[in-house]
Amino acid sequence: MIDQIIDYFNTIPSLHRALILAGGILFFWIVEGIVPLANFKYNKYRHAGINLFFTATTIIINFAFALVIVKASEWAIANQFGLLQLTTLPSWAMLIGGLLLLDLVGAYFIHFIEHKIKWMWKFHMVHHADTHVDTTTANRHHPGESVFRAVFTTIGVIICGAPMWLVMLYQSLSAVLSQFNHANMRLPLWLDNAISWIIISPNMHKVHHHYKQPQTDSNYGNIFSIWDRLFGTYNYTPVESLRYGLDVLDDSTDEQLNYQLKIPFDNSIKTNY
């Protein structure tokens, strides 16, 4: 089974990667329409429009970095560089350990840093500006933030010494699970709580989208919940008491594309950092 996974992601066609991304959005779009967590009074298609624009810019930037990431992986493997190259690991251990490490560097660390450095936070504010968090919010990233994340993914690949099959698996899981934990869908509370001990559940991540601190500065994880629990950034707040958006922004601007693109460069927008 592990060998089959490795073989598949070693040669995964670009079409399959696109289908994983589009299929995930479509699947969770349907599910959140059946069992919504919050009954938003909004035009779902208009809301999706701006988020899909940012999804498109993220895809373009990721393609631009694709060759850099491939070369980083090839260099690490050729030079036996990185934590995964320190010893010979069975395939299952490399898969699990590699996903954990890539998630730590490529998702948790960069996300944490974006909340702590003012000029990076200004780019990340675009993601938090969404007042109707649903599955399309997952890839709502300002192009500048997409560059930050691509750079940290590359750093993660080098630190880990990750082969390309592992990178492709990580990126595919990251996309789908981000759509899952952003989705506006209600799971039974016992199931959501159980899931949150292993991976980021919808309720766990919604806390991160609360409009003010300290909830905004918690639950940074994307795939695995271990990092928030280990580093003390886990927060439990009942979803019923959450409000999406940011307290320093006018909620009415969340679907204004020009405004959102200019947020990082607008000195009139205040931050707490």
Side-chain angles (χ1 to χ4, degrees), residues 6-149:
I6 292 173
D7 289 342
Y8 174 71
F9 283 98
N10 242 335
T11 58
I12 184 172
S14 296
L15 175 61
H16 288 198
R17 296 184 67 195
L19 290 174
I20 289 172
L21 177 65
I25 293 175
L26 179 60
F27 175 77
F28 293 117
W29 174 284
I30 293 171
V31 172
E32 64 186 15
I34 299 171
V35 284
L37 176 64
N39 292 310
F40 293 136
K41 304 300 181 183
Y42 73 135
N43 184 320
K44 190 167 183 174
Y45 294 94
R46 179 181 174 184
H47 171 260
I50 186 170
N51 290 349
L52 292 178
F53 168 84
F54 284 118
T55 298
T57 61
T58 297
I59 291 171
I60 291 170
I61 289 168
N62 285 345
F63 270 120
F65 272 85
L67 181 59
V68 176
I69 293 173
V70 168
K71 292 299 182 182
S73 175
E74 290 177 347
W75 178 87
I77 299 302
N79 291 277
Q80 293 291 289
F81 185 91
L83 297 175
L84 296 177
Q85 303 301 321
L86 294 177
T87 185
T88 302
L89 295 171
S91 298
W92 65 266
M94 178 171 283
L95 187 151
I96 296 173
L99 288 177
L100 282 164
L101 289 169
L102 287 172
D103 186 52
L104 173 63
V105 180
Y108 181 90
F109 274 169
I110 178 56
H111 197 177
F112 178 84
I113 291 170
E114 285 175 335
H115 279 250
K116 303 306 176 185
I117 299 176
K118 181 175 180 177
W119 65 270
M120 296 182 79
W121 166 245
K122 291 290 290 286
F123 285 93
H124 187 50
M125 286 176 74
V126 174
H127 182 70
H128 281 268
D130 199 337
T131 61
H132 302 94
V133 176
D134 64 16
T135 192
T136 66
T137 309
N139 292 302
R140 179 189 170 116
H141 299 300
H142 191 282
E145 181 183 1
S146 296
V147 172
F148 303 156
R149 288 177 175 266

Side-chain angles (χ1 to χ4, degrees), residues 50 54 118-130 140-143 145 245-246 248-271:
I50 186 170
F54 284 118
K118 181 175 180 177
W119 65 270
M120 296 182 79
W121 166 245
K122 291 290 290 286
F123 285 93
H124 187 50
M125 286 176 74
V126 174
H127 182 70
H128 281 268
D130 199 337
R140 179 189 170 116
H141 299 300
H142 191 282
E145 181 183 1
L246 284 173
V248 295
L249 293 177
D250 180 347
D251 287 351
S252 66
T253 64
D254 70 333
E255 293 180 3
Q256 296 178 16
L257 181 58
N258 287 341
Y259 182 89
Q260 294 296 314
L261 286 170
K262 293 176 182 177
I263 284 177
F265 316 105
D266 188 341
N267 292 328
S268 69
I269 296 176
K270 299 178 181 179
T271 76

Side-chain angles (χ1 to χ4, degrees), residues 196-270:
S196 72
W197 282 99
I198 303 171
I199 62 173
I200 306 298
S201 68
N203 285 9
M204 180 178 174
H205 190 70
K206 296 303 187 305
V207 174
H208 181 76
H209 280 271
H210 188 52
Y211 79 115
K212 62 181 180 180
Q213 298 168 311
Q215 286 87 348
T216 306
D217 298 332
S218 67
N219 300 1
Y220 296 107
N222 186 42
I223 297 179
F224 298 106
S225 61
I226 183 176
W227 305 123
D228 283 298
R229 297 180 185 277
L230 182 63
F231 295 119
T233 53
Y234 173 75
N235 178 287
Y236 177 79
T237 299
V239 291
E240 292 78 12
S241 61
L242 300 178
R243 171 187 160 188
Y244 302 139
L246 284 173
D247 57 354
V248 295
L249 293 177
D250 180 347
D251 287 351
S252 66
T253 64
D254 70 333
E255 293 180 3
Q256 296 178 16
L257 181 58
N258 287 341
Y259 182 89
Q260 294 296 314
L261 286 170
K262 293 176 182 177
I263 284 177
F265 316 105
D266 188 341
N267 292 328
S268 69
I269 296 176
K270 299 178 181 179

Side-chain angles (χ1 to χ4, degrees), residues 166-177:
L166 182 58
V167 178
M168 293 299 180
L169 173 59
Y170 163 71
Q171 290 184 328
S172 299
L173 283 176
S174 180
V176 172
L177 290 178

